[in-house]
Amino acid sequence: MPPHDGAGDSVDWQTGERAWGAGFPQDYKEFVATYGDGEVDAFLTFLVPEWAESAVPSGAMAEETAEARRMWREKPSVGYGSPATPPVIAWGVNARGDLLCWVTSERDSGRWPVAVWSRGSLAWHVHGCGMLEYLVRLFRGEFDDMWADDGVRRFVHVREAQRLLAAGIDPDTGEPNPYAGMFGPLPGPAQGD
């Protein structure tokens, strides 16, 4: 899954980790630097930490983490801490609404396993591996039959998706978007951005 030109995000990890109250795993930091905020095959969306000026977690990662913590309180995974203090941070979500998280009960973030809240089974599935190993195994079809084909995965950063849409191209297929321009201009960056 090669990154395209312009992929990747620069994150002030020291400030972000202070805001989130946790040190993020190194493989995730490297993923964010290489790929960043975007999605694979119009199915799996990756989340990048954001925070408000008051150093409070914000954005999609904060919203999905709040949902994951709500699910953990309702139906915790056995052996991973108290439901009163949900030890999860969301790093991805798929088109089925499944939440991909870390179980953060270990002090060493390099040892955080991946936990997936499945909307289909309404249960947590904890995998004894980190994010990158989980993704490799997922794309090989070890966890989800959807990924079992030999196709090349296509990652599209959110900035590239916006650029393609503005040019009348479907970011998911790379083909001309048959609906381009039908609903007026797309909102773009403000002047000076």
Side-chain angles (χ1 to χ4, degrees):
M1 186 176 76
H4 58 73
D5 289 342
D9 288 309
S10 177
V11 173
D12 176 351
W13 291 108
Q14 189 173 29
T15 301
E17 290 172 347
R18 217 174 18 255
W20 279 84
F24 290 96
Q26 188 61 37
D27 63 346
Y28 173 71
K29 292 177 184 181
E30 292 170 10
F31 182 91
V32 169
T34 303
Y35 295 97
D37 184 5
E39 65 182 25
V40 173
D41 294 349
F43 183 78
L44 176 57
T45 301
F46 297 98
L47 307 172
V48 175
E50 299 176 50
W51 51 92
E53 285 187 31
S54 58
V56 174
S58 65
M61 184 179 241
E63 292 167 11
E64 298 299 349
T65 296
E67 177 67 4
R69 289 175 177 172
R70 186 176 75 77
M71 294 294 100
W72 191 276
R73 278 191 289 278
E74 288 182 15
K75 196 169 184 181
S77 185
V78 177
Y80 288 99
S82 162
T85 310
V88 290
I89 295 176
W91 57 263
V93 63
N94 67 28
R96 293 187 296 234
D98 300 336
L99 298 171
L100 288 77
C101 307
W102 293 289
V103 177
T104 63
S105 51
E106 288 276 342
R107 181 177 289 277
D108 177 2
S109 64
R111 297 174 49 103
W112 291 352
V114 169
V116 178
W117 170 254
S118 170
R119 298 271 185 209
S121 65
L122 298 177
W124 286 100
H125 303 278
V126 179
H127 305 279
C129 59
M131 176 197 178
L132 289 185
E133 181 181 341
Y134 174 82
L135 290 174
V136 168
R137 294 174 65 188
L138 177 71
F139 294 158
R140 287 182 179 159
E142 293 180 32
F143 300 130
D144 189 329
D145 290 343
M146 162 185 181
W147 301 97
D149 65 15
D150 292 330
V152 174
R153 305 289 161 239
R154 184 166 188 258
F155 175 85
V156 180
H157 192 282
V158 69
R159 290 184 301 263
E160 179 67 359
Q162 290 169 343
R163 184 191 72 75
L164 290 169
L165 283 170
I169 298 170
D170 183 328
D172 299 328
T173 65
E175 301 293 323
N177 183 349
Y179 305 107
M182 288 179 69
F183 305 102
L186 290 171
Q191 291 293 329
D193 281 356

